[in-house]
Amino acid sequence: MPVTRQIVDEQCFNPNVFLPYELRLHDFTSAMQDVYDFFFDVNSHLTNKGLGRLEDTLRKANLSGTLSDMTTASLAKHSRVLTQNRYHNGHPDLIVKGIHVNDSVKAGDQGVEIKTTVKKGGAVDTHGAREQWLCIFVYKVDNKTEPAIDRLALKFTEVYLSHVQTDDFRKNERGELGTRTATPHKEGMEKIRKNWVYLDLESEEGS
């Protein structure tokens, strides 16, 4: 079975969603399709050489990090107002163009932080509880179908974008060698899910 190319289902977008910073649903369509096209091109090349797909090669954390970087870059490319934060590990990932020197800031107060996760509903760890616009992409990876060549392509199933406060999070305690993180608590996640951007119910029901 040849590698398949995912196509963004525009009927899964929320026409009533509130989008800050002049973001448009088209920006999300384009960013998600950029990711799909990249995986199609790379996986076509890999499987033609008898190698495994990128999703099967990368570790889970590496795949999530790659997707975060790709969606950030693609949204920046298509956005009218936002651009990538050039500060290494700076916050947020997307900042308003032109208000910081070289579009670089360690901790800015305008923009959108991007997270990706395989957890249904979008519960995701962050490096700390803070007031911010938080965008969460939920994706689905088929790593069970055998033979592996028949596996479905990576797919986004949910996207959320919400303005959160510090009290929307719970702190996660870690051991001496771990890093303390924060995750939106139950009420915080309910708040985030109210402003959903994209929801593929068919994929959710079939998973």
Side-chain angles (χ1 to χ4, degrees):
M1 180 179 177
V3 173
T4 57
R5 185 196 302 269
Q6 289 283 13
I7 302 296
V8 178
D9 187 349
E10 296 191 35
Q11 294 184 351
C12 293
F13 283 100
N14 178 6
N16 300 314
V17 66
F18 176 78
L19 299 175
Y21 300 111
E22 300 296 324
L23 283 166
R24 301 157 295 182
L25 290 179
H26 177 72
D27 299 333
F28 287 88
T29 303
S30 299
M32 293 160 66
Q33 193 62 52
D34 283 347
V35 173
Y36 288 162
D37 292 346
F38 172 84
F39 274 83
F40 174 78
D41 292 341
V42 171
N43 286 335
S44 294
H45 178 73
L46 291 173
T47 55
N48 284 339
K49 290 181 172 294
L51 301 172
R53 303 179 312 158
L54 190 59
E55 300 98 305
D56 299 326
T57 303
L58 292 177
R59 293 182 178 180
K60 184 177 179 180
N62 289 340
L63 177 58
S64 184
T66 297
L67 288 172
S68 292
D69 290 342
M70 291 181 69
T71 51
T72 297
S74 291
L75 276 174
K77 179 175 68 175
H78 298 290
S79 171
R80 301 171 65 195
V81 172
L82 300 173
T83 188
Q84 280 186 275
N85 187 349
R86 295 182 180 179
Y87 194 98
H88 179 64
N89 287 334
H91 183 277
D93 297 310
L94 293 172
I95 59 175
V96 177
K97 296 176 184 177
I99 67 171
H100 299 287
V101 176
N102 296 322
D103 289 327
S104 175
V105 61
K106 182 177 181 180
D109 57 6
Q110 295 186 58
V112 178
E113 179 75 358
I114 305 294
K115 296 293 182 183
T116 61
T117 181
V118 294
K119 296 179 181 178
K120 293 180 182 180
V124 65
D125 290 343
T126 67
H127 291 300
R130 65 177 83 196
E131 181 180 355
Q132 61 187 328
W133 278 98
L134 179 62
C135 183
I136 303 169
F137 288 82
V138 181
Y139 64 97
K140 179 180 178 182
V141 176
D142 178 7
N143 54 17
K144 296 181 179 179
T145 299
E146 292 293 342
I149 193 64
D150 292 335
R151 290 176 181 172
L152 298 174
L154 178 147
K155 187 175 187 179
F156 292 111
T157 56
E158 306 163 58
V159 181
Y160 304 97
L161 177 58
S162 182
H163 187 263
V164 293
Q165 308 286 342
T166 56
D167 58 6
D168 289 321
F169 293 82
R170 68 169 187 272
K171 293 182 179 179
N172 305 317
E173 298 296 334
R174 295 294 178 92
E176 294 182 2
L177 299 179
T179 301
R180 178 177 291 179
T181 61
T183 305
H185 50 54
K186 180 180 178 181
E187 292 76 15
M189 285 310 309
E190 289 176 352
K191 175 181 178 179
I192 290 171
R193 290 170 187 149
K194 286 181 180 178
N195 201 51
W196 61 274
V197 178
Y198 184 89
L199 189 58
D200 189 338
L201 293 174
E202 182 176 343
S203 290
E204 287 298 286
E205 292 171 356
S207 61

